[in-house]
Amino acid sequence: MHAALVARPGSCIRRLAQRSRAREIQFTRFLRNDAVTAEEIAWYAAERTAARVRGRDVVVVQDTSELSLGGRRAKANGYGPIGKGGALRGLLLHAALAVDASNGGVIGLVDAKVWNRTGGKAKHRRSRKTQHKESQRWLDSTRRAAEVLTKTASITVVSDRESDIYEHFAFRPQTTHLIVRACQNRRIEADEEEQIDLLFSHVDSLPEAGRFKVTIPAAPGRKARSSELAIRFSPVTLRKPLHGAPGLHDTVTLAVVDVRETSTPEGGKPIHWRLLTTHPVVKIADARRTVALYRVRWVVEEYFHTQKTGGFDIEAADISDPEAMMRLAAAVAVAAVSVMQLVKARDGTTGQNLLEAFEPADQPILEAVSAKLEGKTKRQQNAHPIGSLAFAAWVIARLGGWDGYYGKPGPKTMRLGLEAFQRIKFGATLDLRDV
């Protein structure tokens, strides 16, 4: 099924089965088999990732996305996503991706959780421990990264504001570092003995340490732009919350890196990130590296887009059984990594080998197709080294309709290209004596 999802990215079981009734029944039985779990599918993917991280500095980016099935979203309060007759109304997917810190190449999936909220309104958050909340997913994925990626040179787990949880820092595995965008205006220890300050006012009072220019990538409702960022940093000691944190250490010592745009962009808000990190930050180079690592988080946003309208169209799946849909969502979460690897490798900057996403038997087919697709102009030549993932990405993009001139191929183009490649591969390996 994984091979079918990579070859023909989508959420229609009949299409995945290539209209083979036997294969369609096989896939359907797999998804409806109670012995199959989304957790096991994610564990299998994590084991494959673990085999490819030896000696690398790895950034693990994690986030959560809602799957709006059939165009229907769960109720605004987040409860009651089961419709009439128990029909599934929505799922939540939490994923953690391993990315090479040195080149931005996607290595693989580290963790994935798929769940469906059930039951009525929960008790107030202050009356529940973190392990009894959905917030526990941030801690679980961080711990999972430490368990799986044991052969790395270093691990940095990066996440957005929703993961700003005191326990996330307090229970951090010793083999991992964290970079979290601050959400809570937490109490911190001030310089004066016995004095308590607030994090945001402390950050605002810091002097600028320097400025640097960056390119802000395009996003929904935002054009790409060049901008200047001002940076501040200092060590901070967080005090534990007044509620819901019994038995925890009274303080946690971190560093805070504040980065903000020096001007307001046209038609948008200026960037302002307050980043809490367990990495030591003693000079401006450390602060800039923290910002650079946090920016890798955008990969997980592209990853979710690939699973939805950018590639697999998972939200169009018409599976009424909640458990079966959760298994399909987990399988798509694994397969979407292959498309993301091609998107990130397209410029030749990741230095990845073709075998990270393809089988050895695919290489001669890719080389033959590349020779056929190359044109007379320089832009229509595959300039990447044979055997590299960038070489394969160029071939797949051209098969997906990219002409080599306008823009860069995205997940939709790679999805179409992978489907076309599989047809070519099937024809290349077909023995006419069997026809």
Side-chain angles (χ1 to χ4, degrees):
M1 186 172 184
H2 175 75
L5 281 165
V6 174
R8 292 168 294 282
S11 58
C12 176
I13 301 302
R14 183 170 297 176
R15 183 173 178 274
L16 288 173
Q18 290 187 299
R19 304 193 182 278
S20 164
R21 178 63 177 167
R23 183 57 58 86
E24 181 182 349
I25 292 174
Q26 183 185 35
F27 288 168
T28 301
R29 286 176 175 170
F30 173 79
L31 293 174
R32 294 182 182 275
N33 189 338
D34 290 338
V36 177
T37 66
E39 290 78 11
E40 267 194 295
I41 293 172
W43 271 70
Y44 166 74
E47 289 177 356
R48 296 175 64 195
T49 301
R52 298 196 292 264
V53 297
R54 182 182 294 273
R56 295 186 180 188
D57 291 311
V58 174
V59 179
V60 176
V61 290
Q62 59 170 324
D63 205 354
T64 306
S65 181
E66 181 183 355
L67 303 181
S68 176
L69 305 175
R72 302 163 299 182
R73 286 204 173 273
K75 292 182 180 179
N77 64 4
Y79 298 97
I82 300 295
K84 294 181 179 180
L88 185 66
R89 291 296 303 273
L91 291 177
L92 293 169
L93 168 65
H94 184 81
L97 283 177
V99 181
D100 192 311
S102 65
N103 55 43
V106 176
I107 302 171
L109 194 67
V110 174
D111 192 27
K113 290 180 174 61
V114 186
W115 74 98
N116 180 42
R117 290 182 179 137
T118 57
K121 189 173 182 179
K123 295 179 181 179
H124 193 278
R125 62 181 178 83
R126 287 185 176 178
S127 64
R128 292 177 291 145
K129 294 182 179 180
T130 298
Q131 60 263 40
H132 299 145
K133 304 177 187 177
E134 288 183 355
S135 304
Q136 182 66 30
R137 66 190 186 274
W138 303 100
L139 283 70
D140 289 345
S141 289
T142 299
R143 184 174 61 250
R144 180 69 179 138
E147 293 171 350
V148 171
L149 308 179
T150 58
K151 300 185 185 301
T152 59
S154 68
I155 307 169
T156 302
V157 180
V158 175
S159 48
D160 213 358
R161 289 178 290 188
E162 196 176 348
S163 68
D164 181 9
I165 304 164
Y166 189 82
E167 289 92 328
H168 197 190
F169 299 106
F171 295 142
R172 169 184 66 94
Q174 290 300 307
T175 56
T176 67
H177 280 286
L178 299 178
I179 298 176
V180 173
R181 186 177 174 190
C183 176
Q184 309 293 334
N185 192 14
R186 298 187 179 279
R187 300 182 308 147
I188 65 172
E189 292 189 348
D191 292 336
E192 295 80 7
E193 189 175 354
E194 302 298 331
Q195 293 296 312
I196 298 176
D197 199 354
L198 292 178
L199 176 64
F200 293 173
S201 58
H202 168 73
V203 170
D204 292 342
S205 70
L206 294 173
E208 271 190 31
R211 296 188 176 191
F212 61 99
K213 292 185 177 181
V214 297
T215 299
I216 309 298
R222 183 186 75 194
K223 295 181 179 179
R225 66 179 185 273
S226 295
S227 186
E228 184 181 59
L229 302 180
I231 197 165
R232 299 169 172 82
F233 61 90
S234 87
V236 290
T237 300
L238 304 185
R239 297 182 66 88
K240 77 175 182 180
L242 295 173
H243 305 280
L248 296 179
H249 293 299
D250 290 338
T251 61
V252 173
T253 300
L254 306 169
V256 61
V257 176
D258 179 272
V259 59
R260 59 187 79 186
E261 241 174 317
T262 57
S263 60
T264 301
E266 183 179 350
K269 293 183 179 180
I271 283 176
H272 185 194
W273 300 332
R274 299 181 183 99
L275 306 178
L276 294 168
T277 181
T278 58
H279 280 294
V281 180
V282 296
K283 54 184 182 293
I284 192 168
D286 300 331
R288 289 190 60 172
R289 174 166 170 76
T290 300
V291 174
L293 292 177
Y294 177 75
R295 293 184 68 189
V296 177
R297 200 197 70 82
W298 184 247
V299 171
V300 78
E301 300 289 352
E302 296 176 300
Y303 171 70
F304 287 136
H305 174 65
T306 299
Q307 293 179 57
K308 297 179 182 180
T309 56
F312 289 80
D313 204 15
I314 183 64
E315 294 180 316
D318 189 19
I319 298 177
S320 58
D321 182 343
E323 293 296 327
M325 187 61 216
M326 290 166 70
R327 294 176 192 119
L328 177 62
V332 167
V334 177
V337 172
S338 297
V339 176
M340 279 298 300
Q341 286 176 318
L342 291 171
V343 171
K344 288 300 179 183
R346 65 194 174 191
D347 296 328
T349 57
T350 67
Q352 290 172 284
N353 189 285
L354 181 148
L355 297 181
E356 291 200 31
F358 290 88
E359 298 174 359
D362 293 336
Q363 182 166 340
I365 302 174
L366 286 165
E367 292 177 20
V369 174
S370 178
K372 288 289 185 181
L373 291 175
E374 287 186 342
K376 296 180 180 180
T377 66
K378 185 176 180 180
R379 288 191 177 184
Q380 290 179 316
Q381 302 290 317
N382 191 341
H384 303 293
I386 292 175
S388 68
L389 190 57
F391 181 93
W394 186 92
V395 175
I396 299 302
R398 293 284 280 121
L399 288 173
W402 181 58
D403 63 2
Y405 284 95
Y406 302 105
K408 293 184 177 181
K412 282 186 178 180
T413 300
M414 295 301 185
R415 174 185 66 82
L416 294 171
L418 280 169
E419 186 174 353
F421 175 73
Q422 290 300 323
R423 290 196 296 268
I424 294 170
K425 180 179 176 179
F426 177 75
T429 57
L430 184 66
D431 190 336
L432 294 180
R433 293 173 298 180
D434 296 331
V435 176

